[in-house]
Structure formats: structure tokens, C-alpha cells
Amino acid sequence: MKTQILINNLKYFKRKVKEAPELAREVLAHCRGPMREWGDAARNVASPAIPYRLQDSTVPVFSVTPSSGHYMTTFFDVDPFSPSGRYLAVTQVPFIERIPIPGDKARVCLIDLIDGSCNVVHETTGWGAQLGANVQWGETDDTLYCNDVVDGRGTGVRIDCGTGGSVPLGGPIYGLSPDKRYSYAPNIEYVNAIIPGYGVADPLTGKKRQSVPLSSTEGIWRTDLATGESKLLVSVKEIVDCLPGQEELAGSTYYVFNIKVNSSNTRLLAVLFSTGVRFRGGTPVQLVTMKLDGSDIKLAMPDALWRVGGHHPNWTPDGEHILMNLRPKGRQMEFVRFKADGTGLETVAPGHKGSGHPSLDPTGRYLLTDSYVSEGFRNSQDDIPLRLIDLESNEERSLCWIHTKNLSGPRRIDPHPVWANDGSRVAFNGVVNGFRQVLIADTRTVTNRHG
């Protein structure tokens, strides 16, 4: 394992060198100041569905966001389709050439998939280059949630889609429970300490960071979406105290990152990062799960396995297992599945190389993912495939090919493909004619699901 740590350290320092231009862009942006207003940009515009590269696609694909702006969905595990299926919730960002700085303003928009229109319902300074404003639906088409900066603090807001009015919440928006009662989240002001682009924008200096290695005042926050009340469900210290095998990470600062609640509304998963680990570059990663009251904490994926190579865990539809990319020692990256307590680790889709942001359709039969440009799947035009694997036949097809501008670092444009809750279509990000767009692939002819 010492050899693997050395390899990871070399990769880390290589990434830091490549990030130097990104730092220069950030400094220049701070010197120029934020983009606080959208000026004369219309709040209601036409947004007809435009066929996308039909000759290269095996299913119908359409670009559905306005063609002259930059738009994005939230993440590969957040369904952007409204409960009725009529609307698509997206974040409109003002630029893609740099990451945001404090004060840069994005817009939360509704795409009406029936009449082909785009309507702005909220403006926010609480967004990042990867997840936008973490826009998510409530119980009905009338309610959206997203993150914003209110009185200088990154937190969630509830949006009335009919009036455009918003109400601040006591805590951030991240992993919503399936019944839309609670949001389970890290403190989004600390997220950039471990992975830029997923929290609210950092200042150039005086960045917010945890002051102690094992915080008793930070961890997983639960916010009541009806009342807005937020409380610390479980602290970082309480989590780490329950985990075996932390000797190599002793003395490091632990942070909570991605949080997701399972479909049965019984457990959540949380990704933990560690910074300042002795003799190790980067931020070692682990995965824990727990009951929704913060009890029964389990180490589902330890650092010892993850550090060989792995990324992007997600619950499977049965609510009992987790799917992710993992590279078993001596083998290529694979799709693997395991139970919430880390037992029962097995390969999914044997022979198919793991990549991107994998998820299963509601039946559990079809595995959907994309890839990074560095994972070996791009074509001669630097496009990457939207991959679909039938787990019954173990056959793979490319639904379409996506251009992402071949960007790296926190500015990159990941497709983040995500299923609609009925499995009839998939939303994803891409670049069309130089603009960041949201596209929809109709998968009904493949999955035989009819929304």
C-alpha cells in the first residue's frame, strides 16, 4: 500500500501543477469583482427542444435549454424532473470560463417541457461550478429548494415557483429525504476546503476552514423543510469515533462532503474527506452510512480500498446497496456494489470498465454512466459517450456522444446523467455550439418504460 500512496502523491502534485492557470483566473476574477446583476437579460424566454446529433445517437436526444445561455442540472443522483414530469429545474450560470467568486449571481430556472419556455424563478449567489445552486424539487411542481447566501451565510431557501418568492431555511440543501421533509447536508461553506466547485464560492483570502481535526460543532446538519429549523444531527467527531482503522489518518482534519438518503428513507450515506494527512498528498476518502437519526454508523468503504482508485458512490434503487466505481488492486476500474455496512462487495457488469457517474434505473436492470475525458472513452473529437449497460445481458451501448470542451479541474463540464424517477428519460449536461446546455435522452425504446 505504501507504493499506492506514493503513486497517489505523484498524481496529486501533478494535478496541483495543472491547477496553476485556474488559480490565476480566480485571482483575476477577484481583482475585477463579481457579476452581481444580469442586466437586461430576459427572465422569460422561449426554449424549444432541439434535436441533438441524431446521426450519432441510438435514442432520441434533445437540447432543451435556451441555446444562447449556460445551464446545468444538479448532480447524477438528483432527479431534475418535476413530480408531474412537466418541468425541468436547472441553474443558469453567467459564465463557464472560470469558477464563481463571492457575489457572482446565478439564476434558478424552470424549463416547461410542454410549451417550450424557460422562466427564471430565483437569483442566487450560493452556487458552484459543478452542482450549480443544488436545485431540487419539493413534493409538488409548486416548490423548489436551492442554496443561496443569506446575510453572509451559505444556506438553503424554499422557492414558490408560482410567485417567485423565497423563504430562507436554517440549513443548507443537499441530500433530501424521499418524502421531502428533511435536507441532510454538510456545512456548504466548508466544502471547497476539500473539493472546489460543490459549495458556495470562497473568498480569495480568509477561506472558511474547520479549526480542529475532529469537530464537535460541525458534521451532518438536518433541516426541516417545512419549518426551516436546522440542527446538528451528528458531529464529525461522533462519526469518526465509530470508525475502525483510522490510525493512518490520525491527526488529520475530517470533513463531510456528499450526502444521499436511500429510497426507503431509512439510511443515508456520507462521503468523508481528510486533509493534512501525514506523508500523503490530496484528501483521502471514506464512505460511511447511518440511520437517519445519526445512529448505527458503519464504515462502508475504507480508505485502504478507496485509495487504490474509486469515485462516485450512489444508492441503488433497493435502498440496501451502494454502487460506485472502484479499482480492485491489480485490475482496471470496475463498477461494484456492496451493502450499506460494507459487506458483500461484488463486481457489477463484469468486463466493462468503470467510469464517470454510475446509477441504476428504477428497475435495477440498466446501469447508466458517462466518463471523464481522462478515462479512455473519448473519441477523436474529444467527445465522451453516454453509456448504458443492460445488466441482464451484460451488453453495452452508447446512447449518444457528448462534447464537454475537454475542460479539467473545477471548471470541467461533467454530463452527470440522471434518470427520471420513472426510468423513461435521462437528463444530462453537455456543450452545444459553445454553450453549456441541458439535454434529455428518451430511453423508452431501450428500457420499455413509459412515462
Side-chain angles (χ1 to χ4, degrees):
M1 277 304 180
K2 290 183 179 180
T3 300
Q4 186 61 51
I5 290 173
L6 177 60
I7 292 172
N8 290 349
N9 287 349
L10 292 174
K11 289 180 178 178
Y12 168 74
F13 290 119
K14 182 179 179 180
R15 287 197 304 271
K16 298 304 287 186
V17 171
K18 290 180 65 176
E19 288 172 5
E22 190 65 53
L23 177 60
R25 292 187 191 94
E26 184 181 357
V27 171
L28 183 60
H30 280 276
C31 293
R32 291 175 174 173
M35 198 216 83
R36 298 184 183 277
E37 301 297 335
W38 281 82
D40 296 329
R43 297 181 65 87
N44 303 288
V45 297
S47 186
I50 301 173
Y52 174 77
R53 298 175 64 164
L54 297 181
Q55 71 278 8
D56 299 326
S57 305
T58 59
V59 296
V61 181
F62 298 88
S63 177
V64 298
T65 42
S67 58
S68 59
H70 300 297
Y71 300 84
M72 59 194 298
T73 57
T74 294
F75 208 29
F76 78 110
D77 56 5
V78 176
D79 182 359
F81 296 98
S82 68
S84 74
R86 174 168 180 168
Y87 300 99
L88 188 76
V90 298
T91 303
Q92 181 185 10
V93 299
F95 44 74
I96 58 174
E97 69 273 10
R98 63 172 175 84
I99 62 174
I101 64 173
D104 281 330
K105 190 172 288 187
R107 309 203 293 186
V108 176
C109 303
L110 293 185
I111 307 299
D112 190 324
L113 299 174
I114 293 180
D115 71 15
S117 65
C118 173
N119 300 297
V120 177
V121 296
H122 185 71
E123 293 188 350
T124 173
T125 55
W127 64 283
Q130 288 302 303
L131 304 188
N134 218 315
V135 181
Q136 302 192 43
W137 285 100
E139 287 188 275
T140 71
D141 290 10
D142 299 323
T143 305
L144 278 174
Y145 298 96
C146 77
N147 286 320
D148 205 339
V149 177
V150 180
D151 297 329
R153 183 175 72 93
T155 193
V157 297
R158 182 174 61 247
I159 304 167
D160 185 317
C161 297
T163 67
S166 63
V167 177
L169 304 172
I173 295 299
Y174 214 103
L176 267 57
S177 59
D179 58 9
K180 310 299 181 180
R181 289 189 61 193
Y182 299 104
S183 169
Y184 297 84
N187 184 332
I188 57 171
E189 295 187 332
Y190 290 129
V191 168
N192 287 331
I194 47 176
I195 184 164
Y198 293 78
V200 296
D202 267 342
L204 186 60
T205 60
K207 302 176 190 292
K208 294 186 177 180
R209 301 294 184 260
Q210 289 175 188
S211 58
V212 296
L214 293 176
S215 176
S216 297
T217 58
E218 289 296 342
I220 298 175
W221 295 86
R222 185 179 72 180
T223 301
D224 188 313
L225 296 177
T227 67
E229 179 184 0
S230 186
K231 69 174 224 177
L232 185 63
L233 179 72
V234 59
S235 72
V236 171
K237 186 177 188 307
E238 289 171 323
I239 294 172
V240 176
D241 283 349
C242 293
L243 305 182
Q246 301 302 295
E247 294 79 13
E248 288 189 25
L249 305 178
S252 66
T253 301
Y254 288 75
Y255 286 87
V256 178
F257 174 45
N258 190 34
I259 298 172
K260 179 72 176 179
V261 182
N262 66 2
S263 59
S264 52
N265 205 25
T266 56
R267 295 188 73 87
L268 63 82
L269 63 77
V271 176
L272 298 183
F273 282 80
S274 297
T275 64
V277 180
R278 192 179 183 189
F279 303 127
R280 292 180 66 176
T283 50
V285 195
Q286 302 181 91
L287 181 70
V288 301
T289 71
M290 65 189 71
K291 292 181 178 178
L292 297 186
D293 62 1
S295 67
D296 193 32
I297 297 171
K298 301 293 184 182
L299 180 59
M301 179 57 61
D303 165 57
L305 291 179
W306 196 315
R307 67 187 174 196
V308 180
H311 53 95
H312 293 100
N314 190 19
W315 289 107
T316 60
D318 65 8
E320 300 294 328
H321 294 82
I322 295 166
L323 175 75
M324 69 177 288
N325 294 289
L326 190 71
R327 185 166 72 86
K329 188 175 182 180
R331 305 208 298 267
Q332 69 175 5
M333 191 74 76
E334 298 177 354
F335 302 111
V336 300
R337 177 170 50 202
F338 49 93
K339 293 181 180 179
D341 62 0
T343 62
L345 179 67
E346 61 179 353
T347 299
V348 176
H352 296 273
K353 183 180 178 181
S355 73
H357 306 80
S359 63
L360 300 182
D361 81 308
T363 69
R365 174 174 175 175
Y366 296 96
L367 187 153
L368 171 75
T369 194
D370 53 357
S371 79
Y372 291 105
V373 293
S374 61
E375 290 183 305
F377 290 91
R378 62 180 174 176
N379 62 18
S380 59
Q381 287 77 45
D382 285 334
D383 299 333
I384 56 176
L386 194 63
R387 305 172 61 196
L388 187 76
I389 303 174
D390 184 336
L391 299 183
E392 288 191 4
S393 64
N394 204 32
E395 295 178 348
E396 176 176 348
R397 69 167 73 188
S398 296
L399 298 182
C400 66
W401 289 83
I402 312 158
H403 189 57
T404 63
K405 289 183 72 71
N406 199 20
L407 299 174
S408 60
R411 289 188 305 133
R412 70 186 184 276
I413 299 173
D414 296 339
H416 290 159
V418 56
W419 293 98
N421 63 8
D422 63 1
S424 66
R425 49 189 172 174
V426 171
F428 58 96
N429 303 305
V431 174
V432 181
N433 298 323
F435 289 92
R436 198 189 218 285
Q437 296 283 284
V438 177
L439 302 97
I440 294 176
D442 185 336
T443 57
R444 289 176 293 182
T445 57
V446 177
T447 62
N448 296 315
R449 302 284 294 180
H450 299 283

